[in-house]
Amino acid sequence: MIDPKILRERPEEVLTIYRERLFDEAAVTTAQEVLKVDTERRRLLNAADELKAKRNAASQGIGREKDEAKRAAAIKEMEGVKAEIAALDEKLATVEVEFERLMLQLPNLPAENVPTGKSDAQNIVTREHGEKRRFDFQPKPHWEIGEGLGIIDFERGVKISGTRFYVLKGAGARLQRALIAWMIDVHVEQGYTEIYPPYMVKQACLFGTGNLPKFGDNLYRDAEEDFYFIPTAEVPVTNLYRDEILDAESLPVKHVAFSACFRREKMAAGRDTRGMKRGHQFDKVEMVKFVHPSESAAALQQLLADAEAILKGLELPYRVVKMCTGDLSFAACEKYDLEVFAPGCDEWLEVSSCSNFGDFQARRAQIRFKSSKDKKDKPRHVHTLNGSGLALPRTVIAVLENYQQPDGTVRVPSVLRPYMGGAEVIRKDGSPR
RNA sequence: GGAGAGAUGACCGAGUGGUCGAAGGUGCACGAUUGGAAAUCGUGUGUGUCGAAAGGCACCGCGGGUUCGAAUCCCGCUCUCUCCGCCA
């Protein structure tokens, strides 16, 4: 949620940003409605508060009044006031619900340094790292490598769960598990505290991170109870401190969490159906930070570097892409993607997305901080950031495709060998078919 | 799933219709005292919202109701604890 005060005090500025930076006319319209509703809201609020002040004063008087006749008269008068208050409160409640509903739909405002652009075409490749490997044979896509080695079973995945599901087996499953364990270890080393979060959360959590109300059609949920399956560990981990006031001295708080992620991918129907690039369920290691507002810009750069350390450790060629305003996600004010090159499918795969949300999520989730030392310090919203470090299936794809050999085997990246029982090469494991 | 008990500020705990945003204690912060500390004494110590300010309003698990007035009464819900059942 953006700060309602900014919208109220500098409406033209906000509208211009929505129109000329985000190219989001729906947001412009919504913001204009918010302004109207807000004016009405404050009018009703002031009127109701005034009457309540009158009632409270009178009620105290009634409590002290000994004269029965005067007492009865005062009560009689207050009955009228009571009805007026009830009427105003009812209107106010309606207006407040509307205000909230609209505010939750407004996207975050981009940071100043975010380039203006309408689509991903205006994104900027900030830097590239590592050379694309030169092959003296035709590199295969991961689905061929995986099936050849008997470590990915697409057919059975579809049989038991349907399209967009696959099964990892033997060294394939182990490779993924090795990556998870190693990545978490790296991030812990970087100062992140490991979290094992619930994979199912209450609806309020999704409003907190900004997935709801706008993106509900990408979420799985329990039909009977208030449970949503998390689309990313960002949701439970960010909500860890929902409705809390953190000690300013404890910032920055840095967490790393591994979790399965569940996404309906309805919007992307038909896209990336081949291989394991886009599934309904995938694993991801996620970093989440809660920082002082003055430090979030630097914290984003560090977060990016922390994610990049994984790709560097794996010795995979990657590039850093800075999102332009039009490609920024709903809740982010600044965002970078990390794309790894997969020579088999011959494309850059997005394996990480590192975002600074400013106070947007903190405002929705009411995550604040205050100094425990300085008594005059008022609670303020923290800034939240998160970034994948990294998304698993695509990292597995990149490893398989970049480390493949002409005979169909795959070398194990050296950092993973200790996590793979010392194995240096993945060979055909003798699958039952 | 069945039965019972409970939910008040950072924490403990009082409060069963009126000056209660909430006694008392602990903790914490600042000050006094001290060579320094402990002990002691004093002062202070929630959040949100509206307002230029003065100040107002709201919040005692959550939501509704009764009343001129609700932390206190009524209804619904959630959560926690104990016992039983079941289970990884």
Side-chain angles (χ1 to χ4, degrees):
Chain A
M1 200 148 61
I2 65 165
D3 187 348
K5 280 204 187 97
I6 292 181
L7 181 57
R8 189 186 305 151
E9 285 162 15
R10 309 200 298 269
E12 284 314 314
E13 207 175 308
V14 174
L15 292 176
T16 302
I17 290 171
Y18 281 152
R19 180 175 293 126
E20 293 173 16
R21 291 261 276 150
L22 295 185
F23 309 99
D24 189 343
E25 281 304 318
V28 173
T29 311
T30 304
Q32 285 166 334
E33 283 177 60
V34 168
L35 287 165
K36 270 189 243 154
V37 172
D38 187 39
T39 306
E40 177 67 359
R41 182 181 137 259
R42 283 181 296 156
R43 188 185 69 79
L44 290 168
L45 191 63
N46 283 325
D49 279 1
E50 220 168 283
L51 282 178
K52 283 176 190 173
K54 185 174 163 190
R55 176 200 65 191
N56 290 348
S59 286
Q60 282 193 8
I62 291 168
R64 279 192 298 257
E65 183 58 62
K66 295 286 191 281
D67 184 316
E68 270 309 315
K70 282 184 187 169
R71 199 181 151 94
I75 288 175
K76 184 104 181 140
E77 193 196 338
M78 280 307 112
E79 275 168 11
V81 173
K82 182 189 180 179
E84 282 181 70
I85 291 173
L88 282 172
D89 270 349
E90 198 177 325
K91 275 187 215 157
L92 183 61
T94 312
V95 169
E96 248 160 8
V97 165
E98 180 66 359
F99 178 74
E100 184 85 351
R101 188 184 72 81
L102 293 167
M103 281 303 293
L104 286 171
Q105 288 179 58
L106 288 179
N108 200 357
L109 299 167
E112 302 229 332
N113 65 5
V114 174
T116 298
K118 282 195 175 178
S119 73
D120 56 2
Q122 279 86 52
N123 289 344
I124 293 166
V125 176
T126 307
R127 59 181 175 272
E128 288 195 35
H129 187 274
E131 292 287 311
K132 284 187 190 174
R133 178 180 161 194
R134 259 186 267 266
F135 289 84
D136 47 17
F137 61 96
Q138 179 62 39
K140 290 190 257 181
H142 66 282
W143 53 87
E144 285 180 26
I145 301 168
E147 283 180 326
L149 291 170
I151 60 172
I152 310 177
D153 190 339
F154 291 98
E155 272 180 44
R156 289 195 176 102
V158 171
K159 178 174 77 180
I160 60 178
S161 297
T163 182
R164 288 196 193 284
F165 285 93
Y166 53 86
V167 173
L168 294 179
K169 190 174 145 193
R174 178 126 191 206
L175 173 63
Q176 173 156 296
R177 184 159 56 88
L179 277 164
I180 294 163
W182 171 69
M183 293 193 295
I184 293 172
D185 286 352
V186 169
H187 295 314
V188 167
E189 197 62 33
Q190 290 165 344
Y192 294 79
T193 303
E194 186 173 355
I195 297 287
Y196 169 78
Y199 294 180
M200 292 191 281
V201 295
K202 297 195 275 192
Q203 183 176 292
C205 295
L206 293 143
F207 276 96
T209 40
N211 302 78
L212 286 177
K214 285 194 85 176
F215 308 101
D217 52 5
N218 202 26
L219 300 169
Y220 287 105
R221 63 170 179 275
D222 186 297
E224 290 178 7
E225 314 224 31
D226 181 22
F227 279 134
Y228 283 73
F229 286 49
I230 58 170
T232 157
E234 163 194 351
V235 177
V237 177
T238 304
N239 279 280
L240 239 30
Y241 306 111
R242 177 155 50 88
D243 298 326
E244 290 192 29
I245 298 172
L246 302 172
D247 187 344
E249 280 73 33
S250 73
L251 298 179
V253 172
K254 296 162 66 179
H255 288 312
V256 58
F258 159 77
S259 86
C261 304
F262 305 94
R263 297 185 184 178
R264 296 184 70 180
E265 299 294 358
K266 267 191 143 178
M267 326 267 274
R271 275 184 65 191
D272 311 318
T273 46
R274 187 119 203 226
M276 42 188 237
K277 181 177 166 188
R278 188 186 297 270
H280 289 306
Q281 168 191 321
F282 66 97
D283 285 356
K284 185 157 58 64
V285 170
E286 184 79 6
M287 296 172 280
V288 179
K289 289 193 196 185
F290 303 84
V291 309
H292 190 279
S294 66
E295 279 158 23
S296 69
L300 178 62
Q301 295 305 320
Q302 187 56 53
L303 180 71
L304 191 57
D306 292 342
E308 283 181 69
I310 298 296
L311 291 166
K312 283 179 182 161
L314 290 170
E315 298 177 78
L316 292 169
Y318 70 90
R319 62 184 189 187
V320 180
V321 183
K322 180 164 178 115
M323 299 294 109
C324 71
T325 51
D327 211 19
L328 220 48
S329 62
F330 177 72
C333 60
E334 187 179 0
K335 175 177 149 187
Y336 294 86
D337 277 357
L338 251 38
E339 298 182 342
V340 67
F341 187 69
C345 13
D346 190 29
E347 61 177 319
W348 291 94
L349 297 177
E350 184 187 326
V351 285
S352 179
S353 183
C354 297
S355 305
N356 180 4
F357 301 95
D359 64 6
F360 190 83
Q361 292 183 325
R363 205 171 276 287
R364 290 175 159 240
Q366 288 296 6
I367 306 168
R368 293 172 294 170
F369 72 96
K370 185 173 84 164
S371 171
S372 59
K373 299 223 171 68
D374 181 1
K375 285 291 160 192
K376 271 168 264 161
D377 198 30
K378 285 282 165 202
R380 297 163 62 191
H381 292 100
V382 299
H383 280 195
T384 59
L385 304 96
N386 66 58
S388 351
L390 307 165
L392 262 305
R394 294 180 184 176
T395 306
V396 171
I397 291 173
V399 169
L400 292 178
E401 296 189 2
N402 279 286
Y403 281 87
Q404 62 180 303
Q405 306 189 95
D407 63 357
T409 61
V410 173
R411 284 192 304 117
V412 176
S414 56
V415 290
L416 297 182
R417 289 177 192 171
Y419 294 83
M420 298 270 298
E424 295 182 9
V425 178
I426 297 174
R427 299 193 166 80
K428 192 166 168 62
D429 77 344
S431 73
R433 274 225 260 182

